[in-house]
């Protein structure tokens, strides 16, 4: 089974209206940037020069006051009291990257202030997600009197009440959606609280912790008579790297404060002084040498963090113990850090093996059981799939087949048989147009519990209810989704000519980094370009194209697509969607395209369709003007004859009009339109320059007549009639 609907729908983000033009011109003029960059800022929602300027800046002063977070003042006061009284503080975190970086940051900050701190991260198998009574018991037994949750706890009403009953205060810091009732903690710091006036609610869990430690440091500054901005600067310099990693890994929108955090953090990571992080970066992407033998400076981007660093940190919590990742980030000794990094890489390798095994089993199940008319959501269940991995496999399935998917595992731990019920844990991913939590709400009578976001969710379900759940969920999808939801939507920011793809423009685009959710890498469209060369690279796995239009040549890399998979050939005219990249080879920097999608030139296809209609009209007696360029001259005949003769010598005797148009319109010659080409073929056959027979719609069989003398094309009766229908010639 392949993608249900491979139709790819192209669109552009830019609203080409007078109002949009005015705004982009104002942004370009005020900020001194190009019109194209102003369009990109407009597309990202910045409709004033002031807002666009703030987006482009990375200034500490642009952070919001952390005390705008509800209960931040209470949390700071309780933390200060615990430090002063030398109370035992426990950090209770989640086992994903957001949780690991949150735990690490808060641990470093509190111990840096002399606090006695313990760490509690539950194991995914055995303890499961979130705060538990068992976890609280172990913390209380260790003598703790304060628990600070990070990236978890907002739904732990009973557990927080239990901790308070044991004399253990709880501060909840979280970024997940709140229930109507909040936990009975001494402080609940969460920008999603309905009564919280904080201006930016899309912080990651580590972002909330970052703001909390900013608040703590600002309080110290006030006590010492120091400007509070100094405290914020210190926190940024110390912890923006950890905050950036957690924010990127949790796929939070890289706008507003997240953009500030990630932008500052990536710069810190490039010159990191954390032995653990340095070792992990080296393990994920070993240093390489340039042409002169110097070690190349590694580019640290949000993509490198998301695909290189985050999976290795995540792997610990998925199939082992997330505390291993915390220990790596806390490591002081480079040798110990290298050992920990190697251990995480090995755990990640095992995770990849298990992931591929589950994926292959899932693909096999889909191929055997999928029914297109029935299944709009893929629901698979299996005994023993590792629950920390099924979410990743669900993502792969949704990407491969273009359908929402849910994988359910009856593994060990929480989902084992419990209270006489055989429970399965599920993880799902969706597509644009289907809110997964909304779909699960429709089936909540069949679920034990569920939660998540629009495109990703988790659930718990009895084995006996899975078949009914599968049926009900697909009925919902069939009723609520139209066919366009199952098409592949590709979107560009705007159209560019090849002439606009300059090195200064490519460098200007760097102002928009870091890229991620909410701030995607800019995509562009160039239309009606001609394919000059096609080259296989990377052992045939990738393709390099040389494209041309109006005398400008540009190279494009089409990664993951082999030359044999291309639907076009040299000489074809295509529309191309791409991102702009700077290729730095031996210190020579050039612009290249990173091609994302290609289709036959829309304008070329349209010209042929319109040409067919016009050709039939003129054959039926319609008149035309000289501007339509329909009457051929001697040079036009020579161009077509030369192209046919070349193909004939290569053994080609059948060709369609579209291919012939591409051949005759290569190079700098005046283009020959469809109607003119059809009449040239008729006249050449009439004058026996070639034998040309139409075999079907736009398909022609031809044989070349090699004649010594020149043929006078003016003898053609077809040409005479054609000239007689040209209004301008008739009037002359």
């Amino acid at each position: 089974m392949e993608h249900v609907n491979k139709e790819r729908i192209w669109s552009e983000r830019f609203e080409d209206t007078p109002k949009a033009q005015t705004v982009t011109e104002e942004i370009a003029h005020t900020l001194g940037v190009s019109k194209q960059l102003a369009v990109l800022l407009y597309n990202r929602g910045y409709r004033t020069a002031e807002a666009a300027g703030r987006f482009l800046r990375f200034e500490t002063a642009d952070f919001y006051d952390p005390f705008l977070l509800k209960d931040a003042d209470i949390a700071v006061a309780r933390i200060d009291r615990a430090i002063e009284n030398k109370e035992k503080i426990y950090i209770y975190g989640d086992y994903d990257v957001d949780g690991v970086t949150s735990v690490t940051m808060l641990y470093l900050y509190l111990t840096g202030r002399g606090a006695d701190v313990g760490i509690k991260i539950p194991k995914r198998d055995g303890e499961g997600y979130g705060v538990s009574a068992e976890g609280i018991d172990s913390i209380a037994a260790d003598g703790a009197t304060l628990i600070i949750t990070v990236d978890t706890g907002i739904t732990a009403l009973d557990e927080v009440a239990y901790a308070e009953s044991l004399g253990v205060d709880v501060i909840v810091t979280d970024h997940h959606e709140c229930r109507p009732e909040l936990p009975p903690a001494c402080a609940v710091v969460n920008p999603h609280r309905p009564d919280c006036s904080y201006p930016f609610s899309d912080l990651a869990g580590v972002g909330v912790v970052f703001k909390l430690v900013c608040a703590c440091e600002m309080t110290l500054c006030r006590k010492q008579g120091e400007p509070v901005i100094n405290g914020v600067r210190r926190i940024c310099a110390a912890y923006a790297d950890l905050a950036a990693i957690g924010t990127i890994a949790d796929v939070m929108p890289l706008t507003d404060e997240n953009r500030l955090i990630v932008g500052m953090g990536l710069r810190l990571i490039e010159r990191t002084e954390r032995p653990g992080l340095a070792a992990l970066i080296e393990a994920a992407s070993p240093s390489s040498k340039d042409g002169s033998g110097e070690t190349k400076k590694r580019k640290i981007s949000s993509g490198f963090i998301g695909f290189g660093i985050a999976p290795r940190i995540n792997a610990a919590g998925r199939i082992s113990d997330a505390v291993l990742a915390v220990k790596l980030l806390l490591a002081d000794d480079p040798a110990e850090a290298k050992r920990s990094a190697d251990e995480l890489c090995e755990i990640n390798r095992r995770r990849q093996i298990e992931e591929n095994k589950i994926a292959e089993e899932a693909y096999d199940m889909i191929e055997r059981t999928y029914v297109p008319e029935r299944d709009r959501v893929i629901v698979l269940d299996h005994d023993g799939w590792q629950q920390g991995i099924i979410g990743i496999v669900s993502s792969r399935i949704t990407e491969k087949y273009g359908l929402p998917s849910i994988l359910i595992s009856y593994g060990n731990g929480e989902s084992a048989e419990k209270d006489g019920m055989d429970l399965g844990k599920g993880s799902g991913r969706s597509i644009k147009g289907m809110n997964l939590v909304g779909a699960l709400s429709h089936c909540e009578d069949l679920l034990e519990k569920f939660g998540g976001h629009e495109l990703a969710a988790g659930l718990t379900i009895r084995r006996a209810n899975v078949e009914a759940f599968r049926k009900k969920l697909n009925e919902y999808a069939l009723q609520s989704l139209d066919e366009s939801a199952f098409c592949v939507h590709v979107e560009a920011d705007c159209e560019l000519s090849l002439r606009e793809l300059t090195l200064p423009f490519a460098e200007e685009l760097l102002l928009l980094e870091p890229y991620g959710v909410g701030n995607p890498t800019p995509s562009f469209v160039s239309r009606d370009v001609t394919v000059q060369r096609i080259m296989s690279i990377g052992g045939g796995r990738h393709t390099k194209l040389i494209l041309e239009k109006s005398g400008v040549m540009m190279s494009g890399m089409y990664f993951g697509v082999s030359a044999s998979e291309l639907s076009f050939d040299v000489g074809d005219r295509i529309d191309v969607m791409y991102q702009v990249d700077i290729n730095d080879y031996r210190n020579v920097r050039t612009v290249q395209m990173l091609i994302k999608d290609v289709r036959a030139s829309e304008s070329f296809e349209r010209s042929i369709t319109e040409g067919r209609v016009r050709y039939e009209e003129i054959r039926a007696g319609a008149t035309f003007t000289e501007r339509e360029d329909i009457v051929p001259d001697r040079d036009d005949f020579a161009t077509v004859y030369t192209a046919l003769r070349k193909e004939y010598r290569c053994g080609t005797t059948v060709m369609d009009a579209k291919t012939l148009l591409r051949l005759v319109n290569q190079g700098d010659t005046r283009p020959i339109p469809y109607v003119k080409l059809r009449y040239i073929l008729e006249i050449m056959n009439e004058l026996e320059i070639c034998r040309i027979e139409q075999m079907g719609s736009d398909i022609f069989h031809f044989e070349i007549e090699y004649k010594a003398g020149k043929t006078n094309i003016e003898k053609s009766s077809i040409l005479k009639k054609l000239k007689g229908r040209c209004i301008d010639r008739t009037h002359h």
Side-chain angles (χ1 to χ4, degrees), residues 11-17 19-24 35 38-40 42-43 491-495:
S11 61
E12 287 182 33
R13 295 187 188 97
F14 186 57
E15 310 160 10
D16 197 3
T17 62
K19 181 180 178 182
Q21 293 283 359
T22 301
V23 171
T24 52
K35 175 70 182 298
V39 166
L40 300 176
Y42 183 93
N43 287 353
E491 197 172 34
D493 281 279
C494 59
E495 181 175 350

Side-chain angles (χ1 to χ4, degrees), residues 476-550:
Y476 171 86
L478 283 166
Q479 293 166 7
S480 60
L481 288 174
D482 57 42
E483 285 299 319
S484 67
F486 300 99
C487 297
V488 179
H489 294 264
V490 285
E491 197 172 34
D493 281 279
C494 59
E495 181 175 350
L496 293 180
S497 68
L498 298 190
R499 201 172 296 279
E500 291 175 292
L501 297 179
T502 63
L503 192 58
F505 174 64
E507 290 171 335
E508 187 182 43
L509 290 178
L510 300 177
L511 294 172
L512 296 178
E513 292 186 345
Y515 298 125
V517 175
N519 183 37
T521 304
S523 292
F524 306 97
V525 168
S526 291
R527 303 185 197 279
D528 207 28
V529 299
T530 301
V531 180
Q532 295 288 350
R533 289 185 66 193
I534 298 174
M535 294 164 277
S536 289
I537 58 174
R541 290 175 290 119
H542 317 296
T543 305
K544 182 176 181 179
L545 303 176
I546 304 297
L547 307 174
E548 181 274 336
K549 186 174 183 182
S550 302

Side-chain angles (χ1 to χ4, degrees), residues 573 629 636 661 664-674 676:
R573 285 156 63 186
D629 191 22
D636 295 324
L661 276 171
V664 300
N665 289 325
Q666 287 182 22
D668 299 325
T669 58
R670 188 185 70 199
I672 295 175
Y674 176 89
K676 181 187 280 189

Side-chain angles (χ1 to χ4, degrees), residues 51-247:
R54 185 175 184 271
F55 174 80
L56 293 178
R57 289 195 306 264
F58 286 98
E59 296 180 5
T60 311
D62 284 331
F63 279 113
Y64 301 119
D65 182 352
F67 287 100
L68 293 174
L69 283 162
K70 185 75 172 174
D71 282 4
D73 54 343
I74 300 171
V76 170
R78 182 65 185 89
I79 290 168
D80 284 350
R81 192 168 86 242
I83 294 171
E84 288 167 14
N85 295 337
K86 300 195 180 302
E87 298 176 51
K88 178 81 174 186
I89 303 171
Y90 253 85
I91 304 169
Y92 203 129
D94 189 17
Y95 39 59
D96 65 0
V97 182
D98 194 10
V100 164
T101 50
S102 298
V103 168
T104 305
M105 181 190 299
L106 191 54
Y107 181 87
L108 286 169
Y109 180 75
L110 293 177
T111 54
R113 287 185 57 185
D116 181 10
V117 185
I119 292 171
K120 172 63 181 176
I121 302 177
K123 290 188 177 181
R124 190 184 293 257
D125 286 339
E127 295 176 87
Y129 174 79
V131 180
S132 68
E134 293 81 2
I136 291 167
D137 283 337
S138 67
I139 289 170
D142 197 29
T145 52
L146 176 62
I147 295 172
I148 306 173
T149 74
V150 294
D151 192 33
T152 189
I154 197 63
T155 60
L157 279 67
D158 294 340
E159 291 80 4
V160 169
Y162 178 64
E164 297 284 348
S165 74
L166 297 178
V168 181
D169 284 342
V170 180
I171 295 171
V172 171
T173 76
D174 203 346
H175 74 125
H176 296 99
E177 293 292 338
C178 304
R179 290 181 181 172
E181 185 182 352
L182 296 175
C186 65
V188 177
V189 184
N190 185 333
H192 287 287
R193 280 183 64 162
D195 57 347
C196 182
S197 60
Y198 198 72
F200 183 63
S201 62
D202 284 326
L203 292 166
V206 73
V208 177
V209 173
F210 178 82
K211 299 302 295 189
L212 179 61
V213 296
C214 279
C216 289
E217 195 68 10
M218 288 167 66
T219 300
L220 284 180
C221 288
R222 290 193 184 99
K223 288 178 180 177
Q224 297 164 2
E226 186 183 359
V228 295
I229 192 65
N230 290 353
V232 178
R233 289 185 180 127
R234 282 197 293 271
I235 297 304
C236 288
Y239 306 120
D241 56 345
L242 296 173
I245 292 169
T247 299

Side-chain angles (χ1 to χ4, degrees), residues 443-448 460-462 465 468-470 472:
C443 308
E444 63 181 333
D445 59 312
L446 297 168
L447 302 174
E448 298 301 304
T460 304
I461 186 172
R462 296 189 194 191
N465 287 339
F469 168 69
R470 182 184 286 115
K472 189 169 185 177

